[in-house]
Amino acid sequence: MSQTLQAIRGMNDILPDEAELWEQFEELVRDWLRGYGYRPVRMPLVEPTPLFARAIGAVTDIVEKEMYSFTDSLNGEQLTLRPEGTASCVRAVLQHNLLYDSPRKLWYMGPMFRHERPQKGRYRQFHQVGVEALGYAGPDVDAEQILMSGRLWDDLGLTGIELEINSLGQSDERARHRTDLIAYLETHRDQLDADGQRRLHTNPLRILDTKNPTMQALVDGAPKLIDYLGETSLKHFEGVQSLLKDAGRPYRINPRLVRGLDYYNLTVFEWVTDQLGAQGTVCAGGRYDGLVEQLGGKPSPACGFAMGVERLLALWADQGNAVERPTVDVYVVHQGEAAGRHAFKVAEHLRDVGFAVQLHCGGGSFKSQMKRADASGALVAAIIGDDEAQANEVTVKPLRDGGEQCRVTFDGLAEMIGERILGPECE
Ligand code: ATP
Ligand code: MG
């Protein structure tokens, strides 16, 4: 016998029990986004490779080593499975000229692909909810996005997620800081790990973001970007902070928060938890005022964030906040030919009035069918034998919270099941 095929490492199947949790989460997320006036957008999963090189930055982890890129064998085009959504979203906005008359608030949700070492909370196909506000310059949008993400944790009942913020200033401020940072790191070159050595002249800011514990002291003593910010950048940062304070949302300024993508400026933020082990960042974002122009559009400020769905769902499940919902309301069991036809009619009738109904298929004894009904998670079983069929009636048996079995007419059935599910006993 040939070996069964397996999914690609780091790319997961999401099976029904878990997928239902995802759906619950997605419903909540949709409502939450509507509450802030964001509208959905859906982009392709595959984009021309140069989009990401241009948007994310050639010397970032993503572009250097994490992208799934390939040549289209039919026309030789260089293509990449999207590693994140911002670049695609901005590309779509520019391609369809969506910023011509007003700013836009957009969101998307879906799989992203990065060739990383799979581990808990880090996968090769993972999912993000991404939120982008394009055409907005003020700190109010940054603050609103931070507060809105905080509201989602509240909506989900999640606790222990902490907010870290920083400002990356503007590119001239970063350039001055960069010169001093390189000089500092060069004098301590022997303390840099291999990644640090490599990044020293390509992307020294990222060294501050190192997860290597032996480099912490070095990084702590490094020149801080915030000390290089001019008046305008500081004012923006203070604007964000005062709105967070007004809203009573606690935060910590983390001077080492620099983000892995090149396109950020001014505000950056992350939501982190210590409840997920090493992969503790559940949401990250910030301002990216230069990206629209970098991708060929008219200069337009922007701010956005993305959250890792797998990490949030792990937290949601661990903290026991997901409510189990019945998969169907009614399971219809039946035996005999006339009963089978009656059952079909009953099931369709119940669906007409809005119940979720599973009609037993595949025959079997009443006993074995009732076992299936129990296992289905349905709240009630509708039982139909030839006797019920003849009388145009149905026997209703509650499956969850006890209660008496009773027999009703076809016409009284929907009301009876409604009462069964919503509460009161049958007469
Ligand atoms: P990290 O430092 O953990 O690699 P990142 O800076 O690469 O994160 P972003 O590109 O900012 O992450 O993505 C936003 C969010 O998406 C992250 O905070 C995280 O929750 C989630 N995420 C990123 N990469 C993965 C992955 N490989 N698997 C699962 N979730 C991920
Ligand atoms: Mg990463």
Side-chain angles (χ1 to χ4, degrees):
M1 209 177 72
S2 65
Q3 220 184 344
T4 47
L5 292 169
Q6 304 282 309
I8 295 165
R9 204 163 100 83
M11 303 202 180
N12 301 315
D13 299 309
I14 302 165
L15 302 179
D17 279 348
E18 209 188 330
E20 278 167 355
L21 203 69
W22 279 65
E23 292 195 340
Q24 243 186 84
F25 173 82
E26 288 163 5
E27 279 168 30
L28 246 146
V29 162
R30 286 198 173 88
D31 285 348
W32 160 75
L33 286 156
R34 254 173 29 83
Y36 283 86
Y38 279 79
R39 297 181 62 199
V41 56
R42 299 182 186 215
M43 298 84 64
L45 302 193
V46 186
E47 295 274 3
T49 304
L51 171 66
F52 301 114
R54 229 160 110 185
I56 299 173
V59 292
T60 54
D61 281 352
I62 293 183
V63 174
E64 270 183 343
K65 53 186 189 200
E66 293 175 1
M67 294 207 303
Y68 280 93
S69 297
F70 55 97
T71 307
D72 183 331
S73 61
L74 296 179
N75 63 9
E77 232 184 309
Q78 293 300 313
L79 304 177
T80 293
L81 298 184
R82 65 179 187 194
E84 54 102 55
T86 304
S88 310
C89 181
V90 171
R91 195 248 335 116
V93 161
L94 292 179
Q95 183 174 336
H96 303 285
N97 204 17
L98 293 191
L99 291 177
Y100 79 100
D101 62 347
S102 69
R104 293 278 178 169
K105 291 187 172 178
L106 302 172
W107 71 273
Y108 47 84
M109 168 152 63
M112 307 293 163
F113 304 85
R114 297 185 194 176
H115 201 282
E116 308 198 60
R117 192 168 67 77
Q119 51 199 293
K120 184 174 180 277
R122 191 174 292 285
Y123 309 102
R124 290 180 173 171
Q125 175 175 331
F126 64 100
H127 297 73
Q128 287 185 336
V129 175
V131 175
E132 319 285 358
L134 299 147
Y136 297 89
D140 51 343
V141 175
D142 315 24
E144 190 186 62
Q145 288 193 344
I146 293 171
L147 292 171
M148 105 186 239
S149 38
R151 181 190 290 272
L152 182 62
W153 320 146
D154 297 345
D155 288 355
L156 291 166
L158 296 178
T159 55
I161 307 183
E162 290 183 358
L163 172 61
E164 298 190 346
I165 61 172
N166 192 20
S167 175
L168 300 182
Q170 301 295 10
S171 59
D172 54 328
E173 294 156 355
R174 278 203 300 283
R176 280 197 295 280
H177 169 257
R178 184 188 154 106
T179 309
D180 289 359
L181 180 62
I182 292 178
Y184 167 84
L185 293 171
E186 266 176 342
T187 60
H188 300 87
R189 213 187 172 116
D190 53 320
Q191 292 171 44
L192 290 174
D193 60 10
D195 246 4
Q197 301 270 0
R198 196 169 50 82
R199 284 175 171 154
L200 181 54
H201 289 281
T202 55
N203 198 352
L205 203 57
R206 274 314 296 272
I207 299 178
L208 301 181
D209 192 23
T210 179
K211 290 178 179 117
N212 182 348
T214 65
M215 277 170 50
Q216 296 308 316
L218 175 69
V219 158
D220 283 339
K224 294 193 173 30
L225 182 47
I226 196 136
D227 298 327
Y228 293 74
L229 300 194
E231 204 183 322
T232 316
S233 295
L234 282 174
K235 197 159 158 256
H236 188 101
F237 197 32
E238 278 154 17
V240 175
Q241 290 181 59
S242 71
L243 287 167
L244 296 182
K245 282 183 193 140
D246 285 354
R249 184 59 80 170
Y251 60 89
R252 195 168 74 83
I253 296 178
N254 176 359
R256 282 161 39 184
L257 186 61
V258 294
R259 308 289 308 115
L261 293 78
D262 269 0
Y263 51 59
Y264 288 107
N265 70 315
L266 292 174
T267 320
V268 287
F269 64 93
E270 285 194 359
W271 289 91
V272 292
T273 174
D274 58 11
Q275 298 163 64
L276 289 174
Q279 283 16 281
T281 306
V282 293
C283 174
R287 188 157 274 289
Y288 51 92
D289 293 333
L291 183 62
V292 174
E293 189 180 13
Q294 201 172 307
L295 291 182
K298 275 201 295 204
S300 175
C303 188
F305 63 92
M307 51 198 171
V309 176
E310 283 81 358
R311 293 184 193 179
L312 281 170
L313 281 173
L315 207 56
W316 205 32
D318 287 353
Q319 294 189 359
N321 288 312
V323 251
E324 246 183 67
R325 290 194 299 199
T327 48
V328 287
D329 302 314
V330 185
Y331 193 101
V332 182
V333 308
H334 55 92
Q335 201 170 41
E337 208 205 305
R341 288 209 305 277
H342 189 49
F344 212 89
K345 204 172 90 185
V346 164
E348 283 295 282
H349 168 63
L350 289 174
R351 291 173 187 133
D352 283 345
V353 297
F355 291 111
V357 181
Q358 188 160 348
L359 176 62
H360 182 82
C361 295
S365 66
F366 267 128
K367 197 170 161 208
S368 69
Q369 292 190 36
M370 284 307 292
K371 270 197 191 149
R372 284 278 185 84
D374 257 327
S376 75
L379 300 170
V380 297
I383 304 168
I384 301 165
D386 283 338
D387 194 29
E388 278 91 348
Q390 211 116 57
N392 198 25
E393 291 179 352
V394 177
T395 298
V396 175
K397 183 176 183 342
L399 296 173
R400 291 290 161 261
D401 310 318
E404 290 294 300
Q405 174 169 315
C406 49
R407 198 160 150 161
V408 278
T409 61
F410 182 88
D411 292 335
L413 176 66
E415 193 181 339
M416 146 77 64
I417 289 187
E419 279 176 13
R420 277 294 177 188
I421 289 175
L422 300 172
E425 285 293 294
C426 69
E427 310 288 292

